[in-house]
C-alpha cells in the first residue's frame, strides 16, 4: 500500500515543482512589468513622445493661399532647419549662454566644492546648521528667487538703493551677470550636497593613513578628497552645462524688471517667442537643434574629463 | 409653470445626451468654423469665456441671471500679449479653446491667419448689428469683407493726455497742445526734477497709436499680398521725435507695466501719460496715492489747431475655433457689447469706452470721476474717438512684430541703435516671419 502511493508520488511532485517554477517565472515577469510600467508609461508619454512629435513638427511647413488663406501643414523636409542655421539671433543667444556658462559654472562649482570641503572638514563646528543653511536657497523655487532678486536689483524699489541707483544691475551690460548671480545663489547648495555626499562615501581609513604620514587637512583635501570626488564634480558640471543652455525662468522673470532682456536673450526664450508667433514648426526645429547641441556639448565634456581621469 | 418644469426635465436629458456626444465626437468640431452651420443648439449650453477685463464677472452675472439656458463661465488671464493670446493659440492647436475670447483689434488678423476665429456672419442678428457699431471698429472685425464677421467690437482706445494737474500748475508749466510744446514742457519738467512722461519701450501698440495719430500706416492688404511699411515717413518722424527726447534725457524709460513703472507715477516722478481711455483704470490702480490730482486733455498735435487722435487697443469678443455653440456664443457677444447694462458694468469695473455709436450717451459716461478731480474724462475721449483715422490696418503677425520692434526699442534705450533703426529692422523681420508662415508679402 505504501509503495502504491509512493510510486506515483514522485512524478507528481516533479510535475508540481515544474509548474510551480513556471508560475514563479511568469509571476516574476508580471511583477517586473508591474513595477516598471508606471515609469515606462510616463517616460514614453511625457519624454519620448514629445520628442518624436517635436521632430515630426520640425519637418513640416505651412502653406496657404493669398493673404488670409487657411494654413495647411505639408512635409517640408529640412526647410525649418535651414531657417535655424540662418538665424543670427539664435546663434547669438547660444553664444550668450555659453559665455554665461564659461564664467558662472566654474564659480558656482568652485564655491560648491569649497563649501562641501568645509562641511567635511573636522575643524568646522555647527555642520548641521551650515549644511541646511547652504542648501536652503535651493528650496526656493527658481521663479520666486528671480522675482526676489529682481526687486533687490531694482534701482528705485530695492532696499539697497544706495548701491542700485549707482550701479544699474539690470542694464544691458550687467544683466547677464545679475542673472548669473541668481543662478549661482540657487544652485550652489544643490551642487554642494552632491559633492558632499561623495565626500562622505570616502573610507575614513584613507584619512587615517594620510594623517599618519603627516598630511595636513589642506593636503588631505587637495590630494585625497578632490581626486576621489572627481566623478561627482563631473556630474555636477554636466548638469550645470545642460541647465545653462536651458536658461528660461530667470531671464523670463527679469523681462518684467528690465527691457535689457530681449525676447531672444537665451535659446529657450527665443523658442518660446517663436512658438508665440505662433510658428510651432520653426520653434520645434530650434528645440531639436538646441537639444542636439546640448547633447554634443555634454558628451564632449564627459569624454574630455574621463580621458583626463584615466 | 408646468411647462417650464417639463422643459427643465427635457433639458437635463439633452445635457446628458450632449455630454455623451461630446465625448464620442472628441475634437472633431471643425463644423463650428463654417459660417453656414450657425444654428442654435438644443437645450441649455455652457459657454466658456476668457478675458482680462477686471470685473467681467459682474457683466456676465447679469446675462446668466436672464439666460438660464445659456450660462457663461468667465476665466480671467493676463492681458493678450502678456500671455492670453499665447494660450489661445495653443488651445486652438490642441482643440480645446474656450468658446469666446477677448481679442484686441491688432491681434485679430493674427488669429484669422491662423484660422483661429469663427466667421459668425450667418449667426442670427450679427450682420444686422453693424449699424450699432462705430464704423472703423466694424471694419476691423470684418476686414472690410462682405458676409464676414470675425468678432463683435467691444471697446475702443481713443487716446488723450493724462497729466498731473497739480504738478503742472504748481510749476507754472502750461499743458502742451502740440508735440513741439510737449518738448519745451519736458525740459521745464526736467528742470523741476521730474520727467514729463515715460517712453514705453515695449508697448509697441502704444507707439503704433502715435503713428496712427500722425496718419501713418504699418500694413496694407490688397487681397493678393501684404505691404509692410513700419518704416513709413510718418513712422520714422514719430520715432525721431521720441529718440530726440530720449537722447536729451527728457523722458523716463522705465519698463512699462512693472512695479518700478507704477512707482514712477505713484511717487510723482513722472507727470503725464499719453494713453487710451482704459488707461484711466491703470493709473487708478497703479498710482493710488495720486488720487484727485490727475486730469485729461487732448493729446498733443503735430500741427497747431488740429485735433487728430491716435488709438491704442480696443478689444473685440471673438468666437474661437472649436466652439460647439457658435450661435449662443455670438448671441452673448452681441449682448455683452451692445446692452446698456452690460456696457455700464464694464465701464464701472474696467473704465472701457464702448464701440457702439450710442454707448457714450449712457449715464455712466456723463459723470465726473473723483480720481480725476471730478473731471468728466469721457468727454475728451469721445471727442478723440471721432477723430481717429478709421482706416488703420493691422498685420497678420503682430505678436512677432511687437516683439521684434520692442527688442530694437529696448536696445535703443540701452544706447545701441535708434528707434528708427528698430523700425527698419522690425520691418525686415516682419517680412521674414510672414514668409516663414507662407503669408504672401511684397518686399
Amino acid at each position: 500500500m505504501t509503495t502504491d502511493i509512493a510510486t506515483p508520488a514522485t512524478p507528481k511532485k516533479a510535475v508540481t515543482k515544474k509548474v510551480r517554477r513556471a508560475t514563479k517565472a511568469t509571476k516574476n515577469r508580471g511583477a517586473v512589468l508591474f513595477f516598471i510600467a508606471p515609469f515606462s508609461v510616463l517616460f514614453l508619454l511625457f519624454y519620448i513622445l514629445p520628442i518624436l512629435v517635436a521632430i515630426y513638427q520640425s519637418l513640416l511647413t505651412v502653406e496657404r493661399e493669398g493673404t488670409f488663406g487657411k494654413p495647411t501643414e505639408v512635409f517640408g523636409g529640412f526647410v525649418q532647419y535651414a531657417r535655424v542655421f540662418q538665424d543670427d539671433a539664435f546663434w547669438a543667444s547660444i553664444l550668450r549662454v555659453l559665455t554665461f556658462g564659461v564664467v558662472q559654472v566654474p564659480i558656482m562649482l568652485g564655491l560648491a566644492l569649497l563649501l562641501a570641503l568645509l562641511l567635511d572638514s573636522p575643524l568646522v563646528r555647527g555642520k548641521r546648521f551650515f549644511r541646511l543653511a547652504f542648501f536652503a536657497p535651493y528650496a526656493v523655487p527658481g521663479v520666486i528667487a528671480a522675482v526676489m532678486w529682481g526687486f533687490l536689483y531694482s534701482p528705485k524699489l530695492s532696499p539697497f538703493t544706495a548701491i542700485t541707483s549707482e550701479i544699474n544691475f539690470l542694464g544691458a551690460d550687467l544683466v547677464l551677470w545679475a542673472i548669473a548671480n541668481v543662478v549661482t545663489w540657487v544652485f550652489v547648495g544643490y551642487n554642494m550636497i552632491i559633492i558632499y555626499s561623495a565626500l562622505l562615501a570616502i573610507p575614513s581609513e584613507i584619512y587615517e593613513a594620510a594623517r599618519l604620514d603627516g598630511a595636513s587637512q589642506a593636503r588631505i583635501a587637495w590630494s585625497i578628497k578632490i581626486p576621489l570626488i572627481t566623478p561627482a564634480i563631473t556630474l555636477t558640471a554636466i548638469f550645470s552645462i545642460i541647465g545653462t543652455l536651458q536658461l528660461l525662468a530667470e531671464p523670463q522673470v527679469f523681462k518684467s524688471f528690465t527691457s535689457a532682456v530681449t525676447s531672444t536673450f537665451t535659446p529657450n526664450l527665443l523658442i518660446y517667442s517663436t512658438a508665440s508667433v505662433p510658428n510651432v514648426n520653426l520653434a520645434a526645429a530650434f528645440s531639436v537643434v538646441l537639444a542636439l547641441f546640448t547633447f554634443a556639448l555634454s558628451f564632449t565634456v564627459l569624454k574630455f574629463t574621463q580621458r583626463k581621469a584615466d | 409653470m408646468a411647462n417650464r418644469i417639463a422643459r427643465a426635465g427635457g433639458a437635463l436629458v439633452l445635457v446628458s445626451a450632449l455630454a455623451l456626444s461630446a465625448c464620442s465626437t472628441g475634437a472633431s468640431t471643425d463644423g463650428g468654423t463654417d459660417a453656414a452651420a450657425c444654428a442654435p443648439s438644443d437645450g441649455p449650453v455652457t459657454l466658456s469665456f476668457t478675458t482680462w477685463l477686471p470685473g467681467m464677472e459682474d457683466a456676465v452675472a447679469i446675462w446668466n441671471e436672464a439666460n438660464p439656458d445659456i450660462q457663461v463661465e468667465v476665466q480671467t488671464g493676463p492681458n493678450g500679449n502678456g500671455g492670453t493670446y499665447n494660450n489661445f493659440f495653443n488651445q486652438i492647436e490642441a482643440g480645446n479653446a474656450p468658446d469666446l475670447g477677448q481679442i484686441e483689434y491688432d491681434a485679430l488678423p493674427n488669429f484669422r491667419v491662423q484660422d483661429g476665429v469663427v466667421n459668425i456672419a450667418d449667426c442670427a442678428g450679427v450682420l444686422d448689428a453693424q449699424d450699432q457699431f462705430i464704423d472703423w471698429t466694424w471694419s476691423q472685425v470684418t476686414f472690410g469683407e462682405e458676409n464676414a464677421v470675425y468678432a463683435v467690437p467691444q471697446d475702443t482706445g481713443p487716446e488723450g493726455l493724462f497729466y498731473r494737474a497739480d504738478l503742472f500748475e504748481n510749476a507754472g508749466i502750461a499743458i502742451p497742445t502740440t508735440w513741439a510744446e510737449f518738448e519745451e514742457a519736458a525740459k521745464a519738467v526736467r528742470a523741476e526734477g521730474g520727467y514729463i512722461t515715460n517712453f514705453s519701450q515695449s508697448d509697441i501698440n502704444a507707439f503704433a497709436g502715435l503713428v496712427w495719430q500722425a496718419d501713418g500706416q504699418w500694413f496694407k492688404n490688397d487681397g493678393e499680398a501684404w505691404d509692410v511699411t513700419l518704416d513709413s515717413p510718418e513712422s520714422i518722424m514719430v520715432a525721431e521725435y521720441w529718440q530726440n527726447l530720449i537722447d536729451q534725457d527728457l523722458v523716463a524709460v522705465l519698463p512699462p507695466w512693472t512695479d518700478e513703472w507704477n512707482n514712477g507715477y505713484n511717487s510723482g516722478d513722472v507727470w503725464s501719460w499719453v494713453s487710451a481711455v482704459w488707461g484711466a483704470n491703470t493709473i487708478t490702480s497703479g498710482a493710488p496715492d495720486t488720487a484727485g490730482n490727475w486730469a485729461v486733455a487732448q493729446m498733443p498735435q503735430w500741427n497747431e489747431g488740429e485735433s487728430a487722435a491716435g488709438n491704442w487697443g480696443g478689444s473685440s469678443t471673438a468666437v474661437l475655433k472649436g466652439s460647439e455653440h457658435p450661435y449662443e456664443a455670438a448671441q452673448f457677444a452681441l449682448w455683452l457689447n451692445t446692452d446698456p447694462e452690460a456696457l455700464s458694468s464694464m465701464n464701472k469695473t474696467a473704465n472701457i469706452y464702448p464701440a457702439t455709436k450710442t454707448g457714450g450717451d449712457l449715464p455712466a459716461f456723463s459723470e465726473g470721476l473723483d480720481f480725476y478731480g471730478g473731471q468728466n474724462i469721457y468727454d475728451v475721449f469721445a471727442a478723440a474717438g471721432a477723430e481717429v483715422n478709421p482706416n488703420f490696418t493691422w498685420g497678420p503677425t503682430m505678436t512677432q512684430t511687437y516683439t521684434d520692434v520692442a527688442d530694437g526699442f529696448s536696445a535703443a534705450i540701452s544706447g545701441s541703435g535708434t528707434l528708427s533703426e528698430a523700425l527698419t529692422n522690425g520691418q525686415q523681420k516682419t517680412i521674414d516671419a510672414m514668409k516663414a508662415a507662407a503669408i504672401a508679402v511684397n518686399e
Side-chain angles (χ1 to χ4, degrees):
Chain A
M1 199 174 160
T2 34
T3 46
D4 267 4
I5 296 164
T7 334
T10 333
K12 204 178 187 181
K13 207 175 178 183
V15 166
T16 44
K17 207 175 178 183
K18 212 175 176 181
V19 168
R20 204 174 284 161
R21 191 185 289 158
T23 49
K24 205 175 173 184
T26 42
K27 246 186 197 165
N28 275 351
R29 197 180 302 147
V32 167
L33 283 178
F34 177 80
F35 282 114
I36 64 165
F39 168 77
S40 312
V41 169
L42 294 174
F43 183 70
L44 282 174
L45 264 182
F46 295 106
Y47 200 85
I48 301 296
L49 193 64
I51 290 177
L52 293 178
V53 170
I55 294 173
Y56 172 70
Q57 287 274 7
S58 72
L59 296 174
L60 299 178
T61 189
V62 165
E63 278 184 359
R64 56 162 60 81
E65 296 282 317
T67 48
F68 277 128
K70 284 189 180 177
T72 42
E73 284 186 323
V74 295
F75 182 77
F78 291 101
V79 178
Q80 307 293 358
Y81 289 94
R83 292 198 179 106
V84 170
F85 286 99
Q86 286 163 6
D87 196 310
D88 298 336
F90 178 68
W91 297 103
S93 72
I94 293 226
L95 193 67
R96 189 174 294 119
V97 289
L98 285 181
T99 317
F100 177 98
V102 165
V103 177
Q104 188 264 341
V105 172
I107 291 178
M108 174 177 68
L109 295 185
L111 275 173
L113 177 63
L114 186 71
L115 294 179
L117 287 172
L118 282 175
L119 279 185
D120 195 49
S121 146
L123 306 173
V124 175
R125 283 157 194 275
K127 277 180 197 169
R128 256 195 209 162
F129 169 77
F130 283 114
R131 194 170 57 201
L132 192 66
F134 294 152
F135 189 68
Y138 185 67
V140 178
V143 172
I144 309 284
V147 170
M148 193 182 78
W149 277 99
F151 277 112
L152 288 176
Y153 290 139
S154 170
K156 286 272 168 62
L157 303 173
S158 168
F160 311 107
T161 40
I163 303 169
T164 56
S165 57
E166 292 300 315
I167 307 167
N168 187 5
F169 291 105
L170 298 175
D173 303 329
L174 282 181
V175 72
L176 186 67
W177 309 114
I179 293 173
N181 180 44
V182 179
V183 175
T184 307
W185 183 80
V186 172
F187 284 98
V188 159
Y190 168 79
N191 289 307
M192 180 207 70
I193 289 286
I194 295 178
I195 296 173
Y196 180 61
S197 47
L199 282 172
L200 292 182
I202 298 174
S204 54
E205 295 85 30
I206 302 181
Y207 298 147
E208 272 167 41
R211 271 199 296 276
L212 285 177
D213 288 344
S216 67
Q217 282 300 328
R219 185 63 202 241
I220 291 175
W222 185 253
S223 301
I224 296 174
K225 291 182 178 175
I226 293 182
L228 283 176
I229 56 167
T230 308
I233 297 173
T234 310
L235 179 79
T236 54
I238 301 280
F239 283 172
S240 307
I241 290 167
I242 296 173
T244 304
L245 282 163
Q246 294 186 341
L247 265 182
L248 176 70
E250 291 84 1
Q252 175 78 21
V253 169
F254 269 51
K255 271 185 79 136
S256 60
F257 286 97
T258 168
S259 48
V261 177
T262 61
S263 63
T264 58
F265 199 72
T266 71
N268 264 348
L269 263 183
L270 180 136
I271 293 167
Y272 182 79
S273 36
T274 308
S276 317
V277 167
N279 190 339
V280 282
N281 307 115
L282 184 56
F286 276 131
S287 311
V288 171
V289 172
L290 178 65
L292 289 175
F293 189 85
T294 311
F295 177 76
L297 192 68
S298 313
F299 194 73
T300 313
V301 171
L302 201 61
K303 272 280 154 207
F304 180 71
T305 49
Q306 271 174 351
R307 192 178 304 153
K308 222 175 152 189
D310 293 341
Chain B
M1 187 70 195
N3 186 18
R4 201 164 159 191
I5 291 166
R7 238 175 34 204
L12 201 72
V13 174
L14 272 163
V15 168
S16 6
L18 274 175
L20 282 174
S21 68
C23 289
S24 54
T25 51
S28 65
T29 52
D30 284 345
T33 59
D34 189 357
C38 193
S41 306
D42 297 324
V45 298
T46 302
L47 303 170
S48 49
F49 175 29
T50 300
T51 173
W52 59 89
L53 273 197
M56 180 58 88
E57 297 82 2
D58 296 355
V60 168
I62 302 170
W63 166 272
N64 283 345
E65 181 84 12
N67 295 276
D69 286 351
I70 307 174
Q71 292 289 299
V72 177
E73 287 174 359
V74 179
Q75 301 151 351
T76 46
N79 71 56
N81 286 311
T84 293
Y85 293 154
N86 210 353
N87 292 346
F88 283 166
F89 283 128
N90 290 339
Q91 289 165 336
I92 289 163
E93 180 90 15
N96 58 4
D99 295 283
L100 292 143
Q102 178 180 1
I103 299 178
E104 289 153 296
Y105 302 119
D106 55 359
L108 261 183
N110 205 346
F111 277 90
R112 186 171 168 205
V113 94
Q114 296 295 336
D115 194 22
V117 283
V118 179
N119 181 358
I120 51 170
D122 287 347
C123 297
V126 172
L127 282 176
D128 300 338
Q130 172 173 359
D131 294 342
Q132 297 189 49
F133 292 99
I134 297 169
D135 293 340
W136 73 264
T137 63
W138 194 254
S139 61
Q140 295 275 326
V141 298
T142 59
F143 302 93
E145 292 169 22
E146 293 289 316
N147 206 34
V149 180
Y150 288 91
V152 178
Q154 179 161 75
D155 67 321
T156 59
E159 288 181 298
L161 176 70
F162 290 90
Y163 64 95
R164 284 287 299 274
D166 56 333
L167 295 179
F168 274 93
E169 196 184 321
N170 291 343
I173 302 169
I175 308 305
T177 58
T178 65
W179 286 112
E181 284 176 26
F182 190 81
E183 187 183 341
E184 292 312 310
K187 288 174 184 161
V189 172
R190 196 73 197 97
E192 297 280 328
Y195 284 105
I196 192 164
T197 192
N198 184 65
F199 181 75
S200 285
Q201 47 207 315
S202 53
D203 283 329
I204 308 307
N205 36 11
F207 187 84
L210 298 172
V211 176
W212 194 336
Q213 185 209 15
D215 215 19
Q217 284 280 354
W218 276 1
F219 293 92
K220 206 177 110 211
N221 173 11
D222 62 7
E224 301 280 321
W226 290 88
D227 277 316
V228 186
T229 52
L230 259 62
D231 56 356
S232 68
E234 296 87 358
S235 197
I236 296 295
M237 175 186 75
V238 176
E240 284 174 351
Y241 176 83
W242 287 93
Q243 183 69 51
N244 174 39
L245 295 186
I246 294 165
D247 289 344
Q248 297 184 64
D249 187 36
L250 294 178
V251 287
V253 287
L254 305 169
W257 311 101
T258 61
D259 292 304
E260 191 88 11
W261 182 68
N262 281 334
N263 181 57
Y265 282 103
N266 201 30
S267 66
D269 278 352
V270 186
W271 291 23
S272 76
W273 186 28
V274 176
S275 184
V277 54
W278 46 259
N281 188 272
T282 311
I283 302 176
T284 311
S285 58
D289 297 349
T290 60
N293 297 331
W294 287 85
V296 182
Q298 184 189 55
M299 69 191 284
Q301 300 294 312
W302 288 104
N303 301 309
E304 211 176 323
E306 287 186 351
S307 55
N311 182 81
W312 178 8
S315 295
S316 64
T317 311
V319 179
L320 299 183
K321 188 188 172 187
S323 171
E324 296 188 23
H325 310 292
Y327 174 84
E328 285 76 10
Q331 299 312 308
F332 170 76
L334 279 179
W335 171 86
L336 179 70
N337 299 314
T338 55
D339 182 82
E341 230 184 319
L343 294 176
S344 303
S345 166
M346 287 191 289
N347 172 260
K348 196 175 150 201
T349 58
N351 288 89
I352 67 152
Y353 197 78
T356 55
K357 284 172 182 165
T358 54
D361 302 337
L362 292 171
F365 298 100
S366 57
E367 291 161 17
L369 297 181
D370 292 341
F371 194 91
Y372 297 89
Q375 183 189 1
N376 178 13
I377 63 169
Y378 298 110
D379 285 347
V380 180
F381 292 111
E387 299 292 334
V388 170
N389 174 5
N391 300 313
F392 194 84
T393 307
W394 296 106
T397 58
M398 284 321 291
T399 313
Q400 163 274 324
T401 303
Y402 286 158
T403 309
D404 282 328
V405 176
D407 283 354
F409 276 14
S410 302
I413 298 292
S414 307
S416 62
T418 63
L419 301 182
S420 311
E421 283 167 23
L423 288 170
T424 317
N425 291 338
Q427 160 95 4
Q428 189 53 48
K429 286 189 170 166
T430 302
I431 290 174
D432 291 346
M434 284 163 77
K435 278 188 189 161
I439 299 167
V441 55
N442 297 320
E443 292 238 23

